[in-house]
């Protein structure tokens, strides 16, 4: 709607914020903090989230961009809410806002993100608009390993819009001398709003079997803590062919 595009224009033109996909250098971080500094301490009255598909626009049904948009599940609004380091009713912190924007841009299932602050029309305080832009999340790779074997990786970095990664690895041998097995991996980012990531893996390959659970908590705010919990069973074994066993 027109309100979306007005606020989007403000995000892209008025704020002059850079587009990045990874953690920003310190100098760029300070520039982002300076952009939010005029609103430091203002009460956050409202927060609105605007989510865009991979290709933002109206396309004909036969257009490849329309087809890809139809196949892609846009990131759920609840996932974006849990990724914010601020909430309604709190005083605005320029450092927290810059860090939140940085955190959103570093997520693998988003291509970009912008936070726009506008003074409230009905009194003191500010209104917040959060714009997120999805990236194409489904991909596949084929890689070769010794002894005429290959494995195929299929993965989705934004499984059904939850922002979680589902990966399936299938080991194949084009000489048919040994069954390779399969490996399943599921990663949950920002579990329950804790900003900790949970990784689950189970399966076997040519030279290993691996079953495990890993939870990692990165350091975001000065009040945060680092943490990691790991429980896994991983074993490597010598790869054999049928010829070796006859």
């Amino acid at each position: 709607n027109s309100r979306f595009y007005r606020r989007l224009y403000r995000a892209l033109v008025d704020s002059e914020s850079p587009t990045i996909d990874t953690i920003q250098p310190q100098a760029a971080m300070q520039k982002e903090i300076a952009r939010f500094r005029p609103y430091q301490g203002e009460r956050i009255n409202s927060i609105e989230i605007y989510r865009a598909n991979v290709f933002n626009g109206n396309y004909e049904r036969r257009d490849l961009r329309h087809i890809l948009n139809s196949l892609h599940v846009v990131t759920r609004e609840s996932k974006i809410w849990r990724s914010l380091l601020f909430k309604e009713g709190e005083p605005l912190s320029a450092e927290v806002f810059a860090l939140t924007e940085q955190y959103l841009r570093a997520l693998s299932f988003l291509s970009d993100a912008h936070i726009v602050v506008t003074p409230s029309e009905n009194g003191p305080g500010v209104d917040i608009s959060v714009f997120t832009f999805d990236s194409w999340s489904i991909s596949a790779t084929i890689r070769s390993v010794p002894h005429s074997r290959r494995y195929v990786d299929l993965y989705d970095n934004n499984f059904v819009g939850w922002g979680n990664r589902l990966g399936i690895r299938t080991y194949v041998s084009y000489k048919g001398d040994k069954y390779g097995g399969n490996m399943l991996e599921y990663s949950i980012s920002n579990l329950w709003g804790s900003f900790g990531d949970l990784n689950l893996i189970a399966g076997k390959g040519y030279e290993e079997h691996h079953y495990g659970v890993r939870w990692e908590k990165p350091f975001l705010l000065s009040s945060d803590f680092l943490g990691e919990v790991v429980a896994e069973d991983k074993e490597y074994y010598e790869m054999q062919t049928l010829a070796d066993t006859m």
Side-chain angles (χ1 to χ4, degrees), residues 195-237:
F195 292 91
D197 300 331
L198 180 68
N199 179 262
L200 309 172
I201 187 169
K204 57 165 289 187
Y206 291 125
E207 299 176 300
E208 65 171 324
H209 72 254
H210 190 183
Y211 304 92
V213 178
R214 179 185 297 269
W215 181 82
E216 297 178 283
K217 175 69 170 65
F219 184 87
L220 292 175
L221 299 174
S222 58
S223 58
D224 273 350
F225 63 91
L226 293 170
E228 182 178 42
V229 178
V230 180
E232 62 181 358
D233 174 20
K234 190 172 185 179
E235 180 180 353
Y236 293 93
Y237 41 85

Side-chain angles (χ1 to χ4, degrees), residues 8 11-13 15-25 28 31-32 35 101-102 104-106 110-115 131-135:
L8 178 59
L12 298 178
V13 179
S15 66
E16 299 182 352
S17 56
T19 299
I20 60 173
D21 293 321
T22 56
I23 297 299
Q24 302 178 54
K31 182 178 179 180
E32 292 299 314
R35 182 164 62 89
E101 197 171 64
Q102 181 187 67
L104 290 171
R105 290 172 173 174
L110 297 181
S111 62
D112 201 2
H114 294 276
I115 299 176
F131 296 89
T132 61
F133 304 84
D134 276 18
S135 60

